[in-house]
DNA sequence: TGTACATCAGTGAACGCGCGTTCACTGATGTAC
DNA sequence: TGTACATCAGTGAACGCGCGTTCACTGATGTAC
């Protein structure tokens, strides 16, 4: 059932080398969506899907790692776009934070293999180059937009004033936790995914806010007695 | 620098076939610790590390998948043991929950590749067999011990009474989120890993408790006005 | 307008490699007599 | 106690495969004259 070569034929062009590049990235994403990890997607399969021979790939990417990196960049851009779209109709910074988180989880669950390769595969370099990686992530639109909203929540008195970075990391952890667990263990009794995700996200934000009320990082004893004050059932 | 075959020699034995089996699992774990994923650990490398020829592996495991599954079982057992040890000296159920969570994150950060293969690799079967997988996880010691402690927290009035399962999943998500993000993005500015993990875990538990106080799943408006009542800064 | 030619996107064939798995075998172990 | 023999853990060689990457090439494109 191999596609005859004549069915899809690639034509040359002159100035527009970028078109094939985009097609290669798109094909890689498609193949990735049906694979366990990026190792399982081969240059040959990508070339085949695009209707081109394997060496052509190397005209656009130095090697396989560079191709996968380009896919990751593309996935993060798509994720950011989904979050931005969801945040548009939010009412206030806390509601926007929630919309962002829900969009984040929705994206991950909807594109599990893309999310996996973008956030869960071992990084290529652990050398000093890691620093530039960090800059890349911190400058990444999705993360930045998330952090801007955390800053807005601080300004609105929802979180205590301070450095938004640790709070952002904390909330991102919550979103990533529910997203990646739903992907990795889909057979667990999650119930409605949106409801479960919302519960985690709300609890994370509310927990941060409440911990701030209690002075930052209360221990178990403080929490227990505070809950008793609040009239929690015993 | 290949080890001469005579340096490590395997002797036969009769009744004790299980010894080699255990050595194979241990060697696989060692190799996994230095690899990107289970695909990157080969049967040949495992055999070599154990001092045996590749076909010998098949005397103990039907195929590579079965070997990896055995490793995952072993990793979960080790994780459970670490959690139990940490929970022993806890003071009350909430404190135990925190000790469990911290031990969980510590284990993940200390054995990132083991944690990754156990919780983040694509499951082998998505067929009806998935149901038995679910049972396996729910019956898994670490998860069960976690859930028992959640039940104890409900009995102590810390969480609202009800089904402990969704609450357990929610708290597990928090622990998994911070653990897996620290592993995947170690170059992010986490500061002290224990402190960052503790902040996430505390916020998750406190958030769940507070949300219960507010009736289960408050929306942004309710949270904002409740915070204002509590005298949060504006 | 018409032709020669430089450019360069894409080709076809091949490289060497390491993989999971199989097969018929060997030879130490431990039991039956 | 001594010997013949069944057992079965582990071997050695090979299978077919798909991989990433390379190399010298081809032939359409578009420009120079």
């Amino acid at each position: 059932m191999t596609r005859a070569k004549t069915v899809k034929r690639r034509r040359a062009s002159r100035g527009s080398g970028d078109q094939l590049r985009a097609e290669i990235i798109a094909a890689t994403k498609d193949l990735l969506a049906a694979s366990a990890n990026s190792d399982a997607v081969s240059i040959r399969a990508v070339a085949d899907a695009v209707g081109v021979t394997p060496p052509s790939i190397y005209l656009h990417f130095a090697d396989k790692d560079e191709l996968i990196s380009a896919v990751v960049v593309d996935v993060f851009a798509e994720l950011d776009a989904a979050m931005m779209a969801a945040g548009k109709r939010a009412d206030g910074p806390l509601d926007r934070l929630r919309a962002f988180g829900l969009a984040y989880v929705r994206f991950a669950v909807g594109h599990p293999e893309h999310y996996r390769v973008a956030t869960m595969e071992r990084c290529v370099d652990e050398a000093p180059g890691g620093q530039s990686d960090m800059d890349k992530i911190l400058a990444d639109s999705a993360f930045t937009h998330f952090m801007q909203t955390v800053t807005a929540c601080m300004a609105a008195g929802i979180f205590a004033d301070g450095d938004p970075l640790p709070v952002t990391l904390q909330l991102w952890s919550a979103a990533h936790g529910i997203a990646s667990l739903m992907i990795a263990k889909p057979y667990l009794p999650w119930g409605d995914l949106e409801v479960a995700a919302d519960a985690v996200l709300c609890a994370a934000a509310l927990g941060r806010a409440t911990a701030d009320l209690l002075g930052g990082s209360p221990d178990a004893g403080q929490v227990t007695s505070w809950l008793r004050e609040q009239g929690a059932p015993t």
Side-chain angles (χ1 to χ4, degrees), chain A:
Chain A
M1 206 57 106
T2 314
R3 218 175 238 263
K5 288 191 177 175
T6 49
V7 170
K8 189 172 187 184
R9 192 112 219 89
R10 188 110 300 278
R11 282 86 37 88
S13 71
R14 204 54 173 271
S16 62
D18 280 354
Q19 195 204 325
L20 182 52
R21 188 190 144 93
E23 281 184 56
I24 291 170
I25 292 179
T28 308
K29 285 177 73 179
D30 284 351
L31 289 168
L32 218 37
S35 304
N37 57 61
S38 63
D39 282 356
V41 172
S42 70
I43 292 279
R44 293 165 130 96
V46 169
D48 217 58
V50 163
V52 116
T53 58
S56 306
I57 306 294
Y58 293 88
L59 256 38
H60 299 271
F61 302 93
D63 55 21
K64 194 181 174 184
D65 279 347
E66 198 176 296
L67 169 58
I68 298 297
S69 290
V71 168
V72 169
V73 167
D74 193 275
V75 167
F76 270 119
E78 207 187 329
L79 168 59
D80 183 51
M83 282 172 51
M84 288 305 99
K88 219 157 229 166
R89 46 187 177 287
D91 181 26
L94 185 58
D95 200 45
R96 192 170 344 125
L97 210 51
R98 178 193 208 160
F100 279 179
L102 276 176
Y104 185 99
V105 175
R106 208 177 287 132
F107 179 88
V109 171
H111 309 79
E113 300 307 334
H114 295 168
Y115 184 77
R116 186 194 301 270
V117 73
T119 66
M120 286 148 87
E121 287 205 357
R122 173 118 131 176
C123 274
V124 179
D125 55 331
E126 329 231 31
Q131 181 61 26
S132 73
D133 261 349
M134 169 185 150
D135 293 342
K136 212 163 52 192
I137 290 277
L138 291 184
D140 176 80
S141 319
F143 190 88
T144 303
H145 291 144
F146 215 86
M147 186 148 68
Q148 284 167 351
T149 306
V150 168
T151 304
C153 284
M154 286 178 168
I158 292 159
F159 299 136
D161 271 326
D163 186 359
L165 184 56
V167 179
T168 306
L169 286 175
Q170 183 173 335
L171 295 177
W172 189 21
S173 290
H176 173 68
I178 187 73
S180 58
L181 210 53
M182 280 175 170
I183 288 171
K185 315 280 177 200
Y187 44 80
L188 287 177
W190 296 108
D192 184 281
L193 294 186
E194 296 264 329
V195 171
D198 200 38
V200 168
L201 296 168
C202 280
L206 188 52
R208 181 68 263 145
T210 311
D212 284 352
L213 279 179
L214 296 179
S217 47
D219 66 20
Q222 288 171 276
V223 168
T224 308
S225 61
W226 178 78
L227 285 171
R228 200 155 289 143
E229 274 173 41
Q230 298 295 314
T234 4

